[in-house]
Each structure stands twice: as C-alpha cells, then as structure tokens.
Amino acid sequence: MGEMVFRQVDLSTEEVDALEARYVPLTEAVRELVAATILSNADDDVVAEALAAVREVTAKLSASVETDHSGVNYNGAGRSWNWGNAGSGERNAIAPPIDLKTNPDGSTYADLVLGAAYEGPPGHVHGGVSALLLDHLMGVTASQMSRPTFTGTLTLRYRNPLPLGPIRVEGRVAREEGRKVFVEASITGSDGIALEADGVFITPTWSPSLEATQN
Ligand SMILES: CCCCCCCCCCCCCCCC(=O)SCCNC(=O)CCNC(=O)[C@H](O)C(C)(C)COP(=O)(O)OP(=O)(O)OC[C@H]1O[C@@H](n2cnc3c(N)ncnc32)[C@H](O)[C@@H]1OP(=O)(O)O
C-alpha cells in the first residue's frame, strides 16, 4: 500500500483559518471560471486572451508549489484540514461546493447548488457526482470527525433523475458493529427524492482514536 500520512502541522487554528480565508475566494472564482469556460460564446480573440491570462496566473501560483498533494493535516488543537479533498476541499474548485453541517444527534446534511460543471444527462446531475457527494458526506458522518473511516461498500439507488440546481444531501449512522459503521443517506432535488444510499465504512486497525479507546 502507498504511504498514507495524517500529518501534524505546527500552525495555530487562527493561522489555518487565515490561510483558508485567503484561498476560498480564489476557489470560488475558479469555479466561476469553469462554468464560464463551459457556457461562454465568446469569439476567438476573447478566448485567446483568456487562455493567456489563465496560463499567466497559473504560472505565478505554481512558482511556490512544494508538493503534489495537500494531504490531511491537523494541528495540536485538533483542527484538521484537507484542502485538496476531491469531495470537499476548500481550495479545490473541482470539488462540489459543499458546506456540511452536523446536527446535535450526529446526523449530517448539506444544502448546495450544482450548476453546469456537474451535468450528466441534459439538465441533470452526473451520477458520479451524486456518488461523490454521498461517499463524502457518509464518510464524514461515519467518522464523527474523531476517527478515520474508509469506504468499504457503497450501494446507491438512483430512483429519479436529479435536476441541476438546489439539492440537499442527508446522512445518519444506522448502526455500528466493531470497526464497521453502517450509514444511510439520500439526495433530494427540486423534484423530490432522487437517490438513496447505504454504506459500510470501516475504521482501520491503525486508527489513533481506536488505539486510544482500546488501550
Ligand atoms: C486522528 C485522525 C482523525 C481524522 C478524522 C478525519 C475525519 C475526516 C473524514 C473524512 C471522510 C472521508 C470520506 C471519504 C471516504 C473515502 O473515499 S475512503 C477511500 C475509498 N476507500 C478505500 O480506499 C478503502 C480501501 N479498502 C481498505 O483500505 C480496506 O479494505 C479496509 C476498508 C480498511 C478494510 O480492511 P481491514 O481493516 O483489513 O478489514 P478486515 O479486517 O478484513 O475486515 C473488518 C470487517 O470489515 C468487513 N469488511 C472488510 N472490507 C469490507 C468492504 N469492502 N465492505 C464491507 N465490509 C468489509 C469485514 O467483513 C470484517 O467484518 P467482520 O468479520 O468483523 O464482521
């Protein structure tokens, strides 16, 4: 197996928050750029100008790149961050714009709007994007933000097409058996329920929180 490191970094929570705040507007602007690239009817000159400008800013940002992945980091206060996460990374414009909330009972939900960049069937959300959203929300639900959990099995029922636009993703832990966490989730769109999902998420034997509770 490739090396999988959860890295402790010596930054205060305020410093992490400040770094995140610096980049989040850029992520949002790049998402708008992606949508404009899909939808624009601009003429050759405008497209050529955009290409040169994008290449120029990409070169400036890349000048200080030190690693090929951002990884999962945490500080001494337990603040963790995974800026590149494909499902939710705050600095990842490819990730759907998900802002996941946790209820007092541990269940989770997210309200988000999916636009042109997430299309599969005409005017509807790509099935793989729905799977990504569910995998991510269900994994976070299983982890309760206190232990790593890996997707073991994810079962999806695509009951109805999911229109682009506002959607709600919801999940909850149904039960736990040893290291296995069983999670149920759904996606609802403007036409009502579109997907239902069941997943088995597994806490690895090397989980620090598991070691702490077993010792
Ligand atoms: C301090 C740090 C805090 C950090 C806090 C972070 C919080 C932040 C949350 C982020 C949330 C991310 C959410 C994204 C989630 C992904 O996308 S994860 C990426 C995709 N998944 C993977 O890469 C997993 C790949 N698979 C594996 O690594 C290994 O197969 C697993 C899943 C770790 C299991 O391996 P294992 O521990 O050796 O399992 P094993 O001992 O054989 O079996 C244990 C039990 O599980 C069952 N089982 C094993 N595999 C499976 C399976 N695939 N399906 C169903 N059941 C299975 C077995 O039958 C067995 O059951 P019992 O016999 O005990 O009843």
Side-chain angles (χ1 to χ4, degrees):
M1 198 203 292
E3 196 186 14
M4 217 189 280
V5 179
F6 292 74
R7 191 175 29 187
Q8 182 158 7
V9 177
D10 186 22
L11 284 175
S12 71
T13 297
E14 293 69 33
E15 288 169 319
V16 178
D17 290 345
L19 268 173
E20 191 171 293
R22 183 190 302 166
Y23 281 95
V24 163
L26 178 60
T27 310
E28 287 166 358
V30 174
R31 281 203 185 99
E32 289 166 13
L33 175 64
V34 170
T37 302
I38 295 167
L39 299 173
S40 175
N41 289 316
D43 62 26
D44 285 358
D45 287 352
V46 172
V47 176
E49 193 184 326
L51 175 61
V54 169
R55 283 192 168 141
E56 189 185 336
V57 292
T58 301
K60 280 185 185 161
L61 289 169
S62 303
S64 60
V65 167
E66 290 168 357
T67 171
D68 67 352
H69 62 276
S70 75
V72 182
N73 303 302
Y74 60 97
N75 69 9
R79 164 79 156 90
S80 72
W81 63 102
N82 185 359
W83 283 324
N85 187 287
S88 67
E90 291 83 356
R91 288 170 57 175
N92 188 347
I94 289 176
I98 191 169
D99 180 15
L100 196 152
K101 312 276 192 210
T102 302
N103 294 311
D105 68 358
S107 61
T108 55
Y109 66 95
D111 291 309
L112 61 155
V113 178
L114 295 180
Y118 303 100
E119 185 174 47
H124 290 77
V125 177
H126 193 290
V129 171
S130 299
L132 173 65
L133 286 166
L134 285 164
D135 180 43
H136 179 75
L137 176 128
M138 293 167 80
V140 172
T141 308
S143 80
Q144 299 168 356
M145 289 314 281
S146 62
R147 57 188 178 189
T149 50
F150 288 89
T151 314
T153 299
L154 188 57
T155 307
L156 306 180
R157 282 179 296 278
Y158 292 82
R159 286 180 44 179
N160 291 297
L162 177 62
L164 291 175
I167 67 163
R168 169 167 277 222
V169 194
E170 293 175 281
R172 67 180 189 92
V173 172
R175 65 183 198 283
E176 295 193 25
E177 284 171 23
R179 287 190 287 120
K180 292 182 291 187
V181 188
F182 295 81
V183 181
E184 297 173 349
S186 63
I187 303 185
T188 308
S190 54
D191 289 349
I193 185 124
L195 284 92
E196 288 172 338
D198 295 311
V200 186
F201 292 78
I202 299 169
T203 308
T205 48
W206 49 261
S207 166
S209 59
L210 198 72
E211 280 162 17
T213 55
Q214 282 179 347
N215 287 342

